[in-house]
Amino acid sequence: MKKNKCIAELIEDIHSESVSRIRSAARLMTMAEESSLKTVEILSALVNDSMPRIILGITGAPGSGKSLLTGRLIAEFRKRYPKRMIGVIAVDPSSPFSGGAILGDRIRMMSEKDADNEKVFIRSLATHGQIGGVTKGTRAITAIMGALGCDVVLIETVGVGQMEFAVREVSDAVAIILAPGQGDTIQFLKAGLMEIGDIFVVNKSDRPDASPFFAQLTNTLHLARNEKRPVLMTSALIGKGIGEFYDSVEELLFRDILWLKARRLKQTDVIVRRAILSEAEKRLHSLLHEEKRKEVVSDILKGKTSFSQTVEDLLKNCV
Amino acid sequence: MTENTEKKNPIRLLIGKVGLDGHTRGVQYVAHIFRDAGYEVIYPGLRKSPKQIVKMAIEEDVKAIGLSFLSGAHIPLISEIMDLLKDKKAEDILVFCGGVIPDDDILILKKMGVREVFTPGTSDKIIIEKVTALFADSSDEEK
């Protein structure tokens, strides 16, 4: 009960003109990260606030230039809409050993001009052992950014491989950032990451091998006749192609408002379902503490109890 | 019951440098030992202004700011940070620092509200212990 009130108080502060509204938003984000239950509580408390107009996922292999490119997009947005606010969620990995993390994406994101600008809000997150490239609090944090007044939110994932595509579940569109040297036709044909992209960006276009890489990628992606996903070239380093990249995001998302609404609704549905499942899992875990687990496992292995009966009993006790 | 079994998220810290001081070795080492001790460390890069440091600390909701100095400018820079934290009603974000800092200055810094000052030669174990103890204190105060 007290915790609920706390969420409400923080939200009230975010809606006010107080000096601490940014701080309250940041605190609420920390709460959103604590558990899936809190994530849902915050989402439902913010249901009447407007979500950001655009939520763009930015993903790709480590070293493709995601952070620098995100920084360039911030600058492009600031140039076009100096009065509007932009939010960025940047995810970096947690240590599998200590649980700690170094979150250093901000370094490449802020031009000196924007570094103390109140219209740019950057939040770094650690993965906390979750796979998929983003974290469970991401959606609620996006909603909090919306409540703060962010028009656009960029979600930059950890550097990913072929199988991390959870960013799709929290964004309106996904930009896959590639760099020359990252594979050939066969890589582009594979299932997984390449399927979830809405926009493909070949970064590091200042490199001589960028053009052949771009041609190969375009050819492969456009093999299917109705395939129209845009493929672009950028150089985050020298700031080339950024305007075109931003244009294609806006274009993509304003084609079909109804589709966008449906997509967001479905995403929220998944998040709520996940929260219920994770709560069930937590309860199961607390039932199966270390000693109990040993006993249960040994009983099953020795044939004392049947596995299906054990599962049945455990699940009943959970409720 | 479920609340107890929930693993708490790591404490978040901002470990960085302010002003025109490009000596990264110390600050990166300290960021590293905090990572290994299970902290989430926001590393903001070099040559940040006090205003930028405070903005980041607030957005990232860190419990403490740890600053490294080799420039000799620790007193004016930290005093500016303390004032900004007060302006933003964020005085509960603790500040500690380290680096080449004369004994007399340590007293001045502590008077400003800096919680710990680590001078060259301090072991990583001591740094972690003392900073961790700061959070034990502050959580008592909340209750």
Side-chain angles (χ1 to χ4, degrees), chain A residues 104-297:
Chain A
D105 278 335
R106 298 185 75 106
I107 299 173
R108 294 183 184 81
M109 281 182 189
M110 281 289 206
S111 65
E112 280 313 306
K113 215 174 64 200
D114 288 326
D116 44 19
N117 198 309
E118 301 292 331
K119 298 279 180 196
V120 184
F121 187 114
I122 301 183
R123 178 65 174 228
S124 315
L125 301 179
T127 52
H128 297 155
Q130 293 160 83
I131 46 171
V134 291
T135 80
K136 59 181 182 281
T138 306
R139 184 43 157 257
I141 292 171
T142 308
I144 297 165
M145 287 181 167
L148 265 181
C150 289
D151 180 46
V152 168
V153 168
L154 308 175
I155 301 172
E156 190 208 316
T157 71
V158 291
V160 302
Q162 294 173 319
M163 275 299 287
E164 290 93 340
F165 27 75
V167 65
R168 190 169 186 273
E169 293 163 10
V170 288
S171 51
D172 301 332
V174 175
I176 309 244
I177 315 302
L178 298 151
Q182 288 173 355
D184 58 6
T185 311
I186 306 304
Q187 292 295 343
F188 306 148
L189 279 175
K190 283 184 183 172
L193 188 68
M194 297 303 285
E195 288 177 286
I196 68 152
D198 299 290
I199 299 174
F200 291 83
V201 179
V202 175
N203 192 32
K204 309 195 183 181
S205 68
D206 49 290
R207 280 179 31 173
D209 47 347
S211 290
F213 182 84
F214 173 79
Q216 210 170 21
L217 176 68
T218 315
N219 284 338
T220 316
L221 285 174
H222 293 178
L223 273 179
R225 220 174 287 158
N226 56 356
E227 172 69 83
K228 287 194 201 93
R229 292 184 290 178
V231 186
L232 305 159
M233 287 237 261
T234 60
S235 168
L237 189 69
I238 58 174
K240 228 174 126 188
I242 311 299
E244 290 85 343
F245 180 19
Y246 187 84
D247 284 339
S248 71
V249 174
E250 288 263 1
E251 231 169 80
L252 193 77
L253 291 175
F254 282 83
R255 230 175 269 163
D256 194 345
I257 288 284
L258 285 177
W259 169 85
L260 194 64
K261 261 189 150 172
R263 174 165 171 151
R264 286 187 180 182
L265 203 65
K266 208 167 131 197
Q267 289 171 336
T268 315
D269 181 81
V270 171
I271 287 159
V272 174
R273 242 184 316 154
R274 286 247 174 85
I276 297 170
L277 284 178
S278 101
E279 188 58 21
E281 196 185 332
K282 238 185 282 165
R283 287 193 191 183
L284 204 53
H285 261 297
S286 60
L287 273 181
L288 273 178
H289 49 85
E290 188 102 23
E291 272 168 47
K292 174 83 175 166
R293 195 163 59 225
K294 274 186 197 149
E295 189 191 312
V296 167
V297 171

Side-chain angles (χ1 to χ4, degrees), chain A residues 8-18 21 24 45-46 48-50 146-148:
Chain A
E9 275 169 1
L10 289 172
I11 291 175
E12 198 182 315
D13 203 37
I14 293 171
H15 290 154
S16 74
E17 298 283 308
S18 106
R21 66 187 287 266
S24 296
L46 288 174
N48 292 325
D49 279 83
S50 52
L148 265 181

Side-chain angles (χ1 to χ4, degrees), chain B residues 21-133:
Chain B
D21 176 359
H23 300 87
T24 52
R25 202 166 172 135
V27 71
Q28 289 182 350
Y29 178 73
V30 172
H32 187 133
I33 63 171
F34 276 111
R35 184 201 80 186
D36 287 349
Y39 286 88
E40 274 177 28
V41 179
I42 318 293
Y43 182 67
L46 291 180
R47 297 184 193 91
K48 300 298 161 203
S49 70
K51 204 175 158 197
Q52 289 166 351
I53 292 282
V54 169
K55 178 181 191 288
M56 279 185 234
I58 288 174
E59 287 177 1
E60 301 285 4
D61 194 24
V62 296
K63 282 260 190 305
I65 302 173
L67 298 168
S68 154
F69 290 98
L70 194 75
S71 61
H74 40 270
I75 289 180
L77 289 171
I78 286 198
S79 131
E80 203 179 331
I81 285 178
M82 294 311 222
D83 288 347
L84 284 165
L85 285 173
K86 220 170 272 166
D87 288 349
K88 301 274 179 194
K89 288 191 187 165
E91 307 98 310
D92 58 302
I93 298 178
L94 307 179
V95 177
F96 62 93
C97 70
V100 181
I101 294 168
D103 287 349
D104 294 348
D105 289 359
I106 295 179
L107 292 175
I108 301 174
L109 288 171
K110 291 229 164 156
K111 234 179 229 165
M112 284 180 197
V114 174
R115 302 296 286 263
E116 291 290 348
V117 180
F118 301 108
T119 48
T122 313
S123 76
D124 45 2
K125 203 171 147 237
I126 300 278
I127 296 178
I128 300 291
E129 260 175 32
K130 288 205 166 167
V131 171
T132 305

